[in-house]
């Protein structure tokens, strides 16, 4: 059985980071307005530390996470054909000690929403390159660059700066939704 690693944030679900940033700034940013990887980049530098203090004390962004259409059903389908791992990074370099709470939130979210995944196949790390899988699904270009025979990049504003050619050089295919992922991995549609 081939192994698949599937990223969590912005691949299976979108945690409510932007809602929290908006609440904190009393603003109304939309995802389309932000083309950087971390939405909190819109917070002025001098307010970032204060935001992180607030964030790590008061917020569980997984409580109101939005699940991408068809993600859960397609992942469940994939488990019939593949050995599926959910692999998610949780270490915030800015707040090493505080980061532990994110591992708890992520683990609980995965258990609740993906109950068909063996808990032993939930990998919370920040070294995704140590996990060697045949197939990778992620929204972060850097996580797809290395090992893997099929590497699918879920399209987002923050990764549109990578050209078709650049992706091709690394054997990465841009995909737009979970139905397309199903077509590629379950129905063998051209990669
Ligand atoms: Mg991600």
């Amino acid at each position: 059985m081939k192994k698949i690693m599937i990223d969590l944030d912005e691949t299976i679900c979108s945690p409510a980071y932007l809602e929290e940033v908006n609440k904190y700034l009393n603003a109304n940013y939309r995802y389309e307005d932000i083309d950087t990887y971390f939405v909190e980049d819109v917070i002025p530098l001098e307010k970032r530390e204060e935001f992180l203090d607030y964030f790590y004390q008061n917020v569980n962004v997984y409580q109101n996470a939005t699940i991408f259409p068809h993600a859960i059903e397609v992942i469940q389908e994939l488990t019939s054909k593949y050995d599926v791992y959910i692999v998610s990074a949780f270490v915030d370099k800015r707040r090493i000690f505080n980061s532990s709470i994110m591992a708890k939130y992520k683990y609980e979210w995965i258990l609740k929403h993906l109950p068909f995944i063996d808990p032993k196949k939930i990998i919370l790390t920040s070294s995704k390159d140590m996990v060697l899988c045949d197939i990778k699904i992620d929204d972060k270009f850097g996580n797809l660059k290395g090992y893997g025979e099929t590497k699918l990049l879920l399209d987002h504003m923050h990764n549109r700066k990578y050209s078709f050619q650049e992706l091709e050089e690394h054997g990465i295919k841009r995909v737009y939704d979970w139905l397309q992922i199903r077509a590629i991995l379950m129905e063998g549609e051209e990669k």
Side-chain angles (χ1 to χ4, degrees), residues 44-62:
L45 265 177
E46 64 276 12
K47 282 186 134 188
R48 294 257 178 99
E49 283 305 311
E50 195 187 280
F51 172 74
L52 289 173
D53 287 340
Y54 160 80
F55 181 81
Y56 279 108
Q57 277 169 35
N58 302 292
V59 178
N60 177 359
V61 280
Y62 289 88

Side-chain angles (χ1 to χ4, degrees), residues 7-11 37 128 138-140 143 158:
D7 168 49
L8 179 62
D9 295 1
E10 307 309 328
T11 295
Y37 186 69
K128 289 193 183 182
D138 209 300
D139 66 298
K140 192 175 181 190
N143 288 336
H158 72 80

Side-chain angles (χ1 to χ4, degrees), residues 134-153:
D134 308 288
I135 300 160
K136 297 173 170 179
I137 307 170
D138 209 300
D139 66 298
K140 192 175 181 190
F141 175 78
N143 288 336
L144 295 173
K145 278 202 291 192
Y147 184 90
E149 62 168 59
T150 301
K151 301 184 282 189
L152 306 178
L153 179 75

Side-chain angles (χ1 to χ4, degrees), residues 117-134:
I117 296 289
D118 182 342
K120 283 188 274 188
K121 295 179 181 177
I122 299 171
I123 301 178
L124 301 174
T125 179
S126 278
S127 304
K128 289 193 183 182
D129 53 333
M130 294 302 292
V131 185
L132 303 182
C133 281
D134 308 288

Side-chain angles (χ1 to χ4, degrees), residues 31 33-42 48 157-159 161:
Y31 275 101
D33 303 327
I34 301 170
D35 61 359
T36 58
Y37 186 69
F38 293 107
V39 292
E40 60 261 38
D41 288 350
V42 298
R48 294 257 178 99
M157 273 298 281
H158 72 80
N159 63 37
K161 56 181 176 275

Side-chain angles (χ1 to χ4, degrees), residues 35-139:
D35 61 359
T36 58
Y37 186 69
F38 293 107
V39 292
E40 60 261 38
D41 288 350
V42 298
I43 297 172
L45 265 177
E46 64 276 12
K47 282 186 134 188
R48 294 257 178 99
E49 283 305 311
E50 195 187 280
F51 172 74
L52 289 173
D53 287 340
Y54 160 80
F55 181 81
Y56 279 108
Q57 277 169 35
N58 302 292
V59 178
N60 177 359
V61 280
Y62 289 88
Q63 233 158 30
N64 294 315
T66 308
I67 301 173
F68 290 128
H70 307 288
I72 304 292
E73 69 195 60
V74 173
I75 294 169
Q76 185 159 19
E77 236 180 289
L78 291 174
T79 60
S80 67
K81 191 173 168 186
Y82 301 96
D83 199 9
V84 177
Y85 291 77
I86 308 299
V87 183
S88 182
F90 73 97
V91 180
D92 181 343
K93 282 185 213 150
R94 301 162 304 184
R95 292 293 172 104
I96 300 291
F97 190 81
N98 296 139
S99 299
S100 60
I101 192 70
M102 298 307 286
K104 172 182 154 69
Y105 294 152
K106 284 170 186 264
Y107 183 66
E108 289 174 352
W109 193 93
I110 296 165
L111 289 180
K112 181 176 174 192
H113 295 278
L114 301 161
F116 46 84
I117 296 289
D118 182 342
K120 283 188 274 188
K121 295 179 181 177
I122 299 171
I123 301 178
L124 301 174
T125 179
S126 278
S127 304
K128 289 193 183 182
D129 53 333
M130 294 302 292
V131 185
L132 303 182
C133 281
D134 308 288
I135 300 160
K136 297 173 170 179
I137 307 170
D138 209 300
D139 66 298

